[in-house]
Amino acid sequence: MPERKRGHRLERWEIALVKAMLATKKYNDQDVLAYFTRPTRSINHRAISEIRSETKQKAVKAATAEQLNEFLSCWPDVDGETGLSLRGDELLVKSREAMIAAVHNFNAAGIHFRAEIFITTAMIGWTYLCHAWFKREGIDFRYKENGAVKLLKSGAEAYWELGKCLRNDKIPVSKAVRQNLELLLEIRHEIEHRSTNRVDDALGPLMQACCINFNDAIRSWFGVQFGLERRLPIALQFVTFDAAQATGLKSISALPPTIASTMDAFHSKMTDDELKDSAFTYRVAFVPKVGSKASKSDTAIEFIKPDSEEARAINAVLLKEIDKARYTATQVVEAMHAEGYPRFNQAQHTALWKELDAKDPVKGFGKAGDYKNTWVWFESWIARARAHCQENAAKYIAAPLPA
């Protein structure tokens, strides 16, 4: 269970209610404790005694009789599954519900733009989870201007966004978890400002890692009883995949140029070990299991040891499958010819990459080749060249022959 050195404190609105309860003379200290102790926090008798004697919290005014009646009429206002207070643990409840909604929507039948919905909702879930941790640890996560809390136009206080939360050096997230979320945030920004086609399959490993990381974080930060594994069982499907189906899926799931560029640029800054970390991207190999005789102990999923011969064989297939395709300049031009732009030539290709400074490694369009003074291009550059040809179709499509 996580350490809760700071988790025993009453909030200001709760102190006001305690004072109102004590003023009625109807509740002893033990009765009061029962109303404010919950799974994420235990309150001891000393706290109530200090409020009663006003040795602490003297400046807090007691709640009104109306406010006390409203509190008592709604109590216990808790989540039935976890016992979390819907008011006192609001951030934690919201974080769980946001991530549950993200996964349910992604797995729902008939949803076509699942990745976009998942990423935007999951980022909300992570933001609330970080805020819940900061609140428990007594860390102020509000923006300040000249020492005062920054207010939005609506008058509400401005809280840290997820990127700011992740940059705080106290929050206990690993580098791989942070990298996973930072890349998903960059992709979310692309989704917010541009229309995308279907990107579900290409982003699956990132989103799967995001789910597992979230569940690990909420269990380690707040307790194993708040994990989501019981709410989100294994998803069943109606199909298996053969080579032809896999090829078909790839042909329709090319990433939009902007997202492909974002991912390539992000990946180019990472080491091979960071790219392979399962907290950054989580990949699973599904292999049909065929046996001569069924057993009651058989399960739908079988885990193998990472260092076994079987695991090495599967990993070899995965590495071969996901290795990033590379293209020479000639192959890029030939690809454009094959797509119906025969007037796009080497000179125009060179002019295009120079105009866009596409060989800047930060942009993620390509990398230095294996031989001296050579360069290879990635799929993201193929997509960018295609977009250029589409935008200038009249220039690159051959004129029709005279009748």
Side-chain angles (χ1 to χ4, degrees):
M1 290 290 291
E3 187 178 0
R4 294 183 185 144
K5 290 182 179 179
R6 300 181 181 88
H8 65 277
R9 297 184 300 184
L10 286 162
E11 296 184 45
R12 191 177 185 88
W13 64 271
E14 292 175 307
I15 295 167
L17 288 167
V18 169
K19 287 190 172 185
M21 293 179 75
L22 294 175
T24 66
K25 309 293 185 180
K26 296 178 181 179
Y27 305 92
N28 60 36
D29 290 6
Q30 188 64 44
D31 294 332
V32 175
L33 286 173
Y35 282 94
F36 297 96
T37 296
R38 52 181 184 261
T40 57
R41 181 191 66 184
S42 60
I43 304 297
N44 58 36
H45 283 272
R46 183 180 62 186
I48 306 302
S49 176
E50 289 171 345
I51 294 172
R52 182 192 293 278
S53 63
E54 294 192 334
T55 55
K56 288 187 177 180
Q57 313 299 348
K58 187 175 182 179
V60 179
K61 294 182 178 180
T64 64
E66 183 178 292
Q67 290 170 331
L68 178 59
N69 287 334
E70 181 183 355
F71 170 76
L72 294 174
S73 64
C74 294
W75 191 89
D77 191 12
V78 298
D79 173 57
E81 179 187 1
T82 60
L84 291 171
S85 167
L86 297 183
R87 182 172 178 182
D89 297 311
E90 181 181 9
L91 291 170
L92 192 54
V93 173
K94 283 184 174 179
S95 71
R96 294 181 83 253
E97 291 188 352
M99 186 57 75
I100 290 169
V103 176
H104 275 319
N105 284 327
F106 187 87
N107 290 336
I111 300 295
H112 297 295
F113 299 98
R114 299 174 296 157
E116 291 91 332
I117 295 171
F118 173 88
I119 292 172
T120 53
T121 312
M123 295 303 96
I124 294 172
W126 267 102
T127 303
Y128 281 135
L129 183 64
C130 292
H131 288 178
W133 186 85
F134 287 133
K135 179 180 177 181
R136 192 194 68 191
E137 297 299 305
I139 297 172
D140 191 349
F141 51 94
R142 299 173 297 177
Y143 275 105
K144 303 288 182 64
E145 288 183 340
N146 300 321
V149 175
K150 180 180 178 180
L151 300 179
L152 303 174
K153 290 182 179 179
S154 63
E157 295 177 337
Y159 297 120
W160 294 348
E161 75 282 3
L162 181 55
K164 173 74 171 176
C165 293
L166 295 174
R167 292 190 293 272
N168 184 278
D169 57 7
K170 293 183 180 179
I171 197 160
V173 294
S174 69
K175 183 177 182 180
V177 172
R178 184 178 287 107
Q179 288 173 322
N180 172 268
L181 292 173
E182 287 173 346
L183 179 51
L184 285 173
L185 282 171
E186 290 194 21
I187 294 170
R188 188 195 67 180
H189 297 330
E190 292 295 330
I191 290 170
E192 288 176 342
H193 300 295
R194 295 177 178 86
S195 176
T196 60
N197 57 13
R198 293 186 64 185
V199 294
D200 303 343
D201 301 310
L203 301 182
L206 279 171
M207 295 186 291
Q208 182 62 72
C210 176
C211 291
I212 294 173
N213 295 342
F214 180 92
N215 203 47
D216 288 345
I218 198 170
R219 285 165 57 93
S220 64
W221 294 359
F222 294 97
V224 295
Q225 69 271 34
F226 302 123
L228 304 181
E229 60 271 18
R230 288 179 295 176
R231 287 287 301 272
L232 302 168
I234 298 170
L236 302 179
Q237 58 191 37
F238 291 105
V239 296
T240 58
F241 295 101
D242 56 23
Q245 286 171 309
T247 301
L249 282 173
K250 290 178 185 176
S251 68
I252 64 172
S253 60
L255 284 169
T258 54
I259 292 182
S261 300
T262 296
M263 293 181 69
D264 285 338
F266 196 96
H267 290 162
S268 68
K269 303 173 187 176
M270 300 175 65
T271 67
D272 288 343
D273 286 340
E274 288 173 344
L275 287 167
K276 293 175 184 176
D277 196 315
S278 61
F280 176 67
T281 55
Y282 190 91
R283 292 179 173 88
V284 179
F286 288 93
V287 181
K289 182 179 177 183
V290 180
S292 57
K293 187 176 181 180
S295 167
K296 290 182 178 179
S297 62
D298 282 349
T299 58
I301 296 176
E302 182 178 3
F303 294 94
I304 60 176
K305 293 182 178 180
D307 58 349
S308 67
E309 287 297 325
E310 189 176 7
R312 280 191 283 271
I314 292 174
N315 193 47
V317 174
L318 288 175
L319 290 175
K320 181 178 179 182
E321 187 72 16
I322 66 172
D323 191 25
K324 188 175 294 183
R326 304 174 186 181
Y327 303 88
T328 64
T330 299
Q331 289 173 320
V332 174
V333 172
E334 289 174 348
M336 295 305 101
H337 289 178
E339 294 188 17
Y341 305 102
R343 292 187 173 181
F344 183 75
N345 57 33
Q346 285 281 10
Q348 287 152 341
H349 177 260
T350 300
L352 178 63
W353 72 252
K354 285 184 176 179
E355 177 187 349
L356 300 176
D357 192 20
K359 286 191 177 182
D360 181 349
V362 174
K363 297 187 176 181
F365 283 127
K367 61 179 290 187
D370 295 331
Y371 302 100
K372 188 176 180 180
N373 298 325
T374 62
W375 185 270
V376 291
W377 299 99
F378 298 148
E379 285 281 358
S380 55
W381 179 246
I382 293 282
R384 184 63 187 86
R386 180 185 300 115
H388 170 76
C389 288
Q390 290 170 345
E391 293 164 2
N392 301 273
K395 179 180 178 181
Y396 297 125
I397 295 176
L401 296 173

